[in-house]
Structures are given as structure tokens and as C-alpha cells.
């Protein structure tokens, strides 16, 4: 959708239109292949759960922009989804805005977001400055925080694409920030914010402003931007710019790939038909079972190893390894996944664990019953795992890896107390 078509349509752009979301909904994980691979009630329940999580994410991001898009706030991968649900539950844009600002002011929130920016080599030299800006922000020195985040954004974008000619963020049109596959860059996100960011201001503005007017601020023509609204918007814009750079890099890598010719296409279709026939034969012989934890047989050994690896990484606070066990539906970088793991799991360290039971209800699905222990409590978690190749389910005999589904919720819920532990038992 072009900006002209978007503005003339009178409708908001939904993240449901992003190519990654469309691909997920077309993929075997939600359509034909899932129907063959996950053939029982428990497996179908797991598949429905994945689809519901996807629909929930779409609804959350759309709700965010519906409330705050006109106020020039940007959604990004750095934001905690549960806290954003609290934001979008507010009845008015003003209340939602205040909820978001108070979230950013909470202890460690900005620190975790800044840490995620280490995934960019061109951002690493700027991290110490951002950490100082974080302290200024938390102490109410908003003017200082704004100046640092604005200059960091400008310089980072200038460096990130220097092979194409140096061009800072301030020199880019809003259309350039409309990446094809990024929640931060739908028209109500960064492209809309960029219009305010680059707006030329030649007459001095002395009254308080609530937008990141980069031109007016840097040229001394906006004199009252020392407030938490402008400072908070600048932080959100910074993290959204990071997501935009990620999306642009992915797009350029895809464009560099050679298109397939007709012979390759036909060969691919033939290979797919052969694999599907082989999969159908194997699935007919596959049986639901409980995994022997002491002596796992064949493919079950991989599952037990992954389950133990996930738990050991959690216990050891190794967030880089821990993030590798998450499904990667949004094509995040390893650094982004590590940052997400740190954000979710660092407040909940564990001292011990015991895998009590693993059930295989289907060829690409497992349910694990795990006893977890901290310094002051213990609980039983029911954790769902799916074997995936990219975003599609993969049976034992196919390329793929086990991933922990519902990683942001299931490990922290006492399944026995919530009557969920029974779900891992065989029918």
C-alpha cells in the first residue's frame, strides 16, 4: 500500500497485511500440512493456540496504533507484550499514553531495551551515551535524554547504510521508513512520526510541545521540550528505528538472492510431492507415546536434550542460548532473541528443575511436565514444544528443531494449581 492509497482509503493499515503474518497464515503450521501432521485433539488444540497467539499479536499492535498512532507513538519488538495489553486496554488515548510512559519509567525497563541494541555493531559505541541518557530520563532531566536519543538515531542510521552513501535519519522521507514487513513501520508508525521529526520550524515555539521536532530542537527553535512525553516518544522511536534497520537489512538480503528458473520450480514441486507422500506413509505408522526419560529412544533423545538445554540455559542465565529455544516467527536476529529472553526470564531465576514427564501427542508436538524451584517457591509447569523448520512444523525425520511454544507464559504458571498439568497425560 502506498502512502497516497493509505491516506485516501480512510482506513488504518493493519499488521495483518504484513508479509510475515500472511506467510504464517498460509503456512503448513496453520493450514493443510498441519491438518495431516497434527491429527488428534491435543495437537489441534496446540495448533489453535499458536493461531490464537498470532491473532492476539495482530489485535494488540492494531489496537496500539488505533489509540496512539495519531499521537505519533511507535510500536517495536522492544516493548513487553503483556504491558502493552495494559496500555491498549485503556479507554482513551491520553490514559494509554500515560500508561506507556509510566511503564518506560519502571526500573530496568529502558536498560533491557538499550541492551538489545547491542545486536547492531554501529550502535555499540553509542550504548554508553544511551545509558547516561537513561539515567537523565529516570531523574527527570528530559531535555538531556531527548538530545541524546535524537542524535543517536541520526548517527546510527547514517552508519547503518553507509555503503549506500551517508544519509542520516533526518534526511529521509517518511516513505523510506515504510518497510514491507515490520510492525514499527506501518504508516501509523515510523513514517507518520518521521513527518514530525523532519518538520522544518523557522519561527520560534515557546509553548510546550509533545512531539519529537528534531529540526526545531536541534536548531534551537523549540524551547520547551523538557517533558516526559517528548522524551518517552524519542525512546520509543529509537527502538522502532532499530526494528526498521533490521527489516531493511532483511529486505536487501532477499533482493540479492537469485530468482529461481522454471526448471528449479518444477523440481521443487516434484520434491515436495515426494516428501508429502513419504510423510503420509510415516505418519500412518507414528504412534502417540510417553517418552522414556531415562533411556529415550531414537528421535525422543533430541527432544529430551532440547528440553534439558532450555532449562539449563534458564538456570545458568545464559540468555543467548535460552533465546535460541524460542520459535522465531518474526525473523528476529539472535541478538534480539537473546534480549527478549533476558527481559522475560531475568526477573524469574530458577535454582533447580526436574523433567517429570514428556508426552508426544503428535509427530511435531510434545508436552512436558516440569518441576521448577526458586529460592522461595516451587511449582509444576506444563510446557508445550513444537518441532519446527522455520515457521512450519517438522516431524522427527525432517530437518528442524524443537522450540518452546508459549515461552512467555507457560514456564511461569503453576499448572497443577491451574489444573493444566493433566493436559500432558496420554489419553
Amino acid at each position: 500500500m502506498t502512502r497516497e492509497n493509505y491516506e485516501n482509503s480512510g482506513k488504518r493499515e493493519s499488521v495483518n497485511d504484513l508479509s510475515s503474518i500472511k506467510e504464517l497464515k498460509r503456512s503448513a503450521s496453520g493450514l493443510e500440512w498441519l491438518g495431516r501432521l497434527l491429527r488428534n485433539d491435543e495437537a489441534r488444540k496446540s495448533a489453535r493456540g499458536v493461531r490464537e497467539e498470532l491473532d492476539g499479536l495482530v489485535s494488540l499492535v492494531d489496537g496500539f496504533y488505533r489509540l496512539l498512532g495519531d499521537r505519533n507513538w511507535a510500536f517495536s519488538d522492544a516493548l513487553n507484550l503483556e504491558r502493552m495489553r495494559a496500555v491498549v486496554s485503556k479507554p482513551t488515548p491520553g490514559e494509554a499514553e500515560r500508561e506507556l510512559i509510566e511503564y518506560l519509567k519502571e526500573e530496568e525497563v529502558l536498560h533491557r531495551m538499550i541492551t538489545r541494541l547491542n545486536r547492531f555493531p554501529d550502535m555499540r559505541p553509542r550504548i554508553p551515551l544511551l545509558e547516561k541518557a537513561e539515567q537523565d530520563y529516570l531523574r527527570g532531566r528530559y531535555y538531556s535524554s531527548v538530545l541524546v536519543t535524537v542524535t543517536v538515531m541520526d548517527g546510527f542510521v547514517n552508519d547503518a547504510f553507509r555503503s549506500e552513501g551517508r544519509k542520516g535519519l533526518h534526511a529521509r522521507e517518511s516513505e523510506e521508513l515504510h518497510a514491507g514487513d515490520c510492525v514499527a513501520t506501518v504508516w501509523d508508525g515510523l513514517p507518520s512520526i518521521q513527518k514530525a521529526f523532519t518538520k522544518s520550524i523557522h519561527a520560534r515555539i515557546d509553548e510546550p510541545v509533545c512531539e519529537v521536532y528534531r529540526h526545531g530542537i536541534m536548531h534551537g527553535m523549540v524551547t520547551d521540550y523538557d517533558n516526559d512525553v517528548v522524551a518517552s516518544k524519542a525512546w520509543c522511536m529509537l527502538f522502532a528505528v532499530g526494528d526498521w534497520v533490521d527489516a531493511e537489512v532483511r529486505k536487501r538480503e532477499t533482493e540479492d538472492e537469485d530468482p529461481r528458473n522454471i526448471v528449479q520450480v518444477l523440481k521443487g514441486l516434484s520434491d515436495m510431492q515426494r516428501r508429502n507422500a513419504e510423510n503420509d506413509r510415516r505418519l500412518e505408522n507414528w504412534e502417540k507415546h510417553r517418552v522414556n526419560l531415562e533411556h529415550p529412544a531414537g528421535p525422543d533423545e533430541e527432544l529430551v536434550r532440547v528440553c534439558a538445554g532450555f532449562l539449563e540455559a534458564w538456570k545458568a542465565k545464559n540468555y543467548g542460548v535460552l533465546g535460541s529455544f524460542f520459535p522465531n516467527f518474526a525473523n528476529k536476529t539472535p541478538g534480539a532473541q537473546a534480549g527478549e529472553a533476558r527481559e522475560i526470564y531475568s526477573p524469574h531465576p530458577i535454582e533447580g528443575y526436574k523433567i517429570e514427564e514428556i508426552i508426544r501427542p503428535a509427530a511435531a508436538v510434545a508436552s512436558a511436565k516440569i518441576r521448577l524451584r526458586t529460592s522461595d517457591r516451587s511449582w509444576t509447569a506444563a510446557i508445550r514444544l513444537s518441532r519446527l523448520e522455520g515457521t512450519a512444523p517438522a516431524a522427527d525425520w525432517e530437518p528442524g528443531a524443537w522450540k518452546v511454544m508459549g515461552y512467555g507464559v507457560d514456564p511461569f504458571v503453576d499448572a497443577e494449581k491451574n489444573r493444566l498439568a493433566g493436559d500432558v497425560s496420554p489419553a
Side-chain angles (χ1 to χ4, degrees):
M1 179 188 291
T2 64
R3 172 170 285 281
E4 182 179 4
N5 290 340
Y6 162 69
E7 292 176 342
N8 292 337
S9 70
K11 300 179 180 178
R12 293 192 181 278
E13 183 182 18
S14 171
V15 298
N16 210 32
D17 297 326
L18 297 181
S19 60
S20 60
I21 300 296
K22 290 180 178 180
E23 179 182 350
L24 284 171
K25 291 191 172 183
R26 287 194 303 262
S27 72
S29 59
L31 299 173
E32 181 178 0
W33 173 234
L34 247 181
R36 286 182 286 136
L37 188 59
L38 313 177
R39 299 177 298 162
N40 57 43
D41 290 341
E42 292 179 14
R44 284 193 291 271
K45 179 181 177 181
S46 178
R48 284 196 301 270
V50 173
R51 292 197 298 274
E52 287 169 3
E53 286 182 18
L54 182 61
D55 290 340
L57 176 61
V58 169
S59 176
L60 173 62
V61 178
D62 284 353
F64 179 95
Y65 283 123
R66 188 165 51 250
L67 272 172
L68 297 175
D70 291 339
R71 293 187 174 220
N72 287 333
W73 289 91
F75 198 95
S76 73
D77 284 346
L79 299 173
N80 179 277
L81 296 184
E82 286 302 317
R83 297 306 305 273
M84 291 308 100
R85 289 189 179 94
V87 169
V88 301
S89 70
K90 298 300 179 182
T92 67
E95 291 173 278
E97 181 175 79
R98 183 47 50 184
E99 179 76 14
L100 176 54
I101 292 171
E102 294 306 316
Y103 158 65
L104 293 173
K105 291 181 179 180
E106 291 178 7
E107 186 178 1
E108 293 295 312
V109 167
L110 274 181
H111 180 72
R112 289 194 293 267
M113 295 179 177
I114 293 169
T115 299
R116 294 178 72 251
L117 295 175
N118 272 296
R119 68 189 189 271
F120 300 109
D122 290 319
M123 189 63 86
R124 290 170 195 157
R126 298 176 165 96
I127 295 295
L129 199 56
L130 289 175
E131 290 174 340
K132 293 177 181 177
E134 173 199 0
Q135 294 305 311
D136 285 338
Y137 174 83
L138 296 176
R139 288 171 170 76
R141 296 189 289 268
Y142 301 119
Y143 63 93
S144 175
S145 172
V146 170
L147 290 172
V148 171
T149 49
V150 166
T151 55
V152 165
M153 279 187 271
D154 243 347
F156 168 61
V157 171
N158 187 62
D159 284 348
F161 303 109
R162 56 183 171 273
S163 63
E164 302 169 13
R166 295 202 172 263
K167 187 178 182 183
L169 184 61
H170 71 285
R172 295 177 181 268
E173 299 294 330
S174 61
E175 286 80 1
E176 293 182 65
L177 274 68
H178 185 254
D181 196 23
C182 178
V183 296
T185 61
V186 296
W187 287 121
D188 283 320
L190 273 180
S192 177
I193 298 168
Q194 183 71 353
K195 291 199 295 184
F197 189 77
T198 58
K199 180 180 179 180
S200 295
I201 297 176
H202 301 290
R204 195 178 73 239
I205 300 175
D206 292 331
E207 61 268 19
V209 298
C210 292
E211 301 294 345
V212 186
Y213 291 126
R214 183 260 179 203
H215 182 273
I217 290 170
M218 299 306 295
H219 290 274
M221 300 308 292
V222 172
T223 61
D224 194 352
Y225 56 89
D226 183 21
N227 60 71
D228 62 357
V229 176
V230 177
S232 301
K233 285 184 178 180
W235 281 113
C236 285
M237 184 179 181
L238 170 68
F239 302 127
V241 166
D243 290 355
W244 168 67
V245 171
D246 273 336
E248 283 296 308
V249 170
R250 288 196 301 268
K251 185 172 74 172
R252 284 160 171 73
E253 289 174 348
T254 301
E255 289 172 349
D256 289 340
E257 294 177 357
D258 293 330
R260 296 195 302 169
N261 59 40
I262 188 62
V263 174
Q264 292 172 315
V265 171
L266 292 175
K267 184 180 184 300
L269 290 173
S270 175
D271 290 344
M272 183 185 300
Q273 291 174 339
R274 177 182 53 77
R275 286 195 304 270
N276 287 345
E278 176 65 13
N279 282 331
D280 287 340
R281 183 187 65 78
R282 294 195 183 205
L283 286 170
E284 289 296 326
N285 299 322
W286 197 93
E287 294 182 355
K288 173 181 176 179
H289 61 279
R290 177 184 280 105
V291 174
N292 185 328
L293 296 178
E294 291 187 3
H295 304 287
D300 288 344
E301 183 179 355
E302 176 199 8
L303 172 59
V304 173
R305 186 171 62 251
V306 166
C307 197
F310 165 74
L311 295 166
E312 193 59 37
W314 184 2
K315 179 182 175 184
K317 303 178 183 178
N318 188 335
Y319 302 112
V321 173
L322 188 61
S324 70
F325 293 107
F326 298 171
N328 194 4
F329 295 129
N331 198 22
K332 297 178 181 178
T333 64
Q337 287 192 291
E340 184 180 19
R342 179 183 296 276
E343 180 176 0
I344 296 173
Y345 285 80
S346 62
H348 309 285
I350 60 171
E351 294 183 351
Y353 62 86
K354 180 182 179 182
I355 303 172
E356 297 185 338
E357 184 180 58
I358 300 179
I359 301 299
R360 296 287 307 278
V365 173
S367 299
K369 180 179 176 181
I370 299 170
R371 192 70 183 169
L372 296 161
R373 176 173 53 84
T374 67
S375 58
D376 58 358
R377 67 180 283 243
S378 63
W379 71 101
T380 298
I383 297 179
R384 296 174 293 120
L385 298 99
S386 290
R387 199 167 185 278
L388 304 173
E389 172 64 11
T391 62
D396 300 312
W397 53 87
E398 297 182 298
W402 286 100
K403 300 295 180 180
V404 177
M405 313 303 290
Y407 57 87
V409 177
D410 292 349
F412 313 109
V413 175
D414 191 328
E416 290 182 339
K417 188 176 293 184
N418 289 273
R419 297 183 181 179
L420 295 174
D423 289 349
V424 301
S425 301

